[in-house]
Amino acid sequence: MDWLFEIDNNICDLRAAGILIKNNKIVIQRDITGRSEYAIPGGHVKIGETTE
């Protein structure tokens, strides 16, 4: 189960992410729907899992 909860239509969602720099470039991911949204690669943290 992911560490995620909603209060008064506000969502709190904990993610862990990492930055990879290679040849002075940063790896990023794009939203799979094709929108112009980008993020640092990572994922949801499960309950009981550390962010490491």
Side-chain angles (χ1 to χ4, degrees), residues 1-41:
M1 176 179 282
D2 290 342
W3 197 96
L4 170 78
F5 62 90
E6 183 176 348
I7 298 174
D8 298 329
N9 295 324
N10 295 302
I11 296 174
C12 180
D13 184 5
L14 181 61
R15 286 182 84 242
I19 297 174
L20 174 62
I21 301 172
K22 186 173 182 178
N23 298 326
N24 291 325
K25 296 180 181 181
I26 299 173
V27 174
I28 59 172
Q29 64 187 33
R30 186 173 184 186
D31 185 335
I32 62 172
T33 64
R35 295 181 296 196
S36 297
E37 296 180 17
Y38 297 88
I40 296 170

